[in-house]
Amino acid sequence: KPRDRYKFSRTIGIGGMKAVLLVHDSDTNRNVALAMMPDFKDRPLEDVAKFVNEARITASLEHPFIVPIHDIGLDSNMAPYFVMTHLTGMTLSTLLMRMRNNDIEMLSFYYERKMLLSFQRICHAVEFAHSQNILHLDLNPANIHIGKFGEVQVLDWGLARYFDKKNRKPEKVPDKIVVNTAGTPGYMAPEQAAGD
């Protein structure tokens, strides 16, 4: 990572394998989100490979409704990182919870036609990924971002796998790491839950 290019602003979130930070990119003079593995030295090499695989798969999916990756690299401690667009708004799960709680602002702003348009955009993103022989494998409302101006982004491609359509099984791709998948209960396909 170029020294002093990304200046830390705040932590956006911490998940099972990565932390996502809001940083200022001095080269482009904009705020971006930087995903990193703070404890990469204590993790097995397989976890580091999964992290890099997520970055590469997401970067390969250039589509208006899939979060774009701008940079992949190693920081000065040799920790892997990737940089993506900083999104403002909320996850679909937060939006749905607020609508279920009769939040007047959400109910009036995200009326039925607007929600259907968002759903259609999610379908376009998934269809594009499938056309590239990639399965998301963890598509759920927490991994969909809804922006204030109608932006929709499919996030978190950490469980994604390449898929060989012809043989209908996971594809072995050179330089790509195919990993075992988990998923979110209640959102997994029956085949995925059964380990098929």
Side-chain angles (χ1 to χ4, degrees):
K1 179 177 74 163
R3 191 167 176 80
D4 300 327
R5 177 176 176 182
Y6 300 115
K7 184 178 177 188
F8 174 80
S9 294
R10 66 179 169 86
T11 301
I12 296 172
I14 298 175
M17 191 162 54
K18 65 181 178 262
V20 180
L21 314 174
L22 178 66
V23 297
H24 185 77
D25 181 349
S26 61
D27 285 2
T28 59
N29 196 28
R30 66 178 173 181
N31 288 332
V32 291
L34 185 143
M36 60 178 292
M37 291 185 79
D39 59 347
F40 79 101
K41 289 181 181 175
D42 300 328
R43 290 187 168 272
L45 192 55
E46 182 181 280
D47 283 357
V48 177
K50 287 177 186 178
F51 180 86
V52 172
N53 192 52
E54 174 182 359
R56 287 184 172 169
I57 284 178
T58 309
S60 74
L61 294 171
E62 292 189 45
H63 188 274
F65 308 134
I66 296 174
V67 65
I69 301 293
H70 304 297
D71 189 15
I72 299 173
L74 299 172
D75 69 13
S76 57
N77 296 316
M78 299 306 288
Y81 71 89
F82 60 92
V83 177
M84 57 197 146
T85 300
H86 173 241
L87 303 173
T88 57
M90 66 187 81
T91 63
L92 180 58
S93 60
T94 300
L95 172 61
L96 293 173
M97 181 190 67
R98 289 179 66 179
M99 292 175 89
R100 274 194 299 272
N101 291 335
N102 293 317
D103 183 316
I104 300 301
E105 180 187 359
M106 294 298 112
L107 290 170
S108 61
F109 192 73
Y110 292 101
Y111 48 89
E112 189 176 274
R113 186 174 179 278
K114 196 176 244 184
M115 290 298 288
L116 286 171
L117 183 59
S118 295
F119 180 72
Q120 184 180 36
R121 289 176 174 164
I122 296 164
C123 293
H124 285 307
V126 171
E127 180 183 24
F128 175 73
H130 290 179
S131 77
Q132 304 301 303
N133 294 340
I134 295 172
L135 300 175
H136 187 284
L137 295 177
D138 197 19
L139 193 64
N140 67 74
N143 290 333
I144 308 291
H145 183 272
I146 306 291
K148 187 174 175 180
F149 300 102
E151 316 94 309
V152 174
Q153 302 281 305
V154 178
L155 313 171
D156 199 349
W157 294 81
L159 296 181
R161 293 175 72 171
Y162 288 90
F163 190 79
D164 179 357
K165 286 184 180 179
K166 192 166 40 173
N167 296 321
R168 302 197 55 78
K169 63 182 181 183
E171 186 178 78
K172 300 282 187 210
V173 180
D175 290 325
K176 305 287 191 242
I177 294 153
V178 179
V179 296
N180 292 330
T181 59
T184 302
Y187 293 97
M188 286 189 278
E191 299 85 355
Q192 184 181 359
D196 296 334

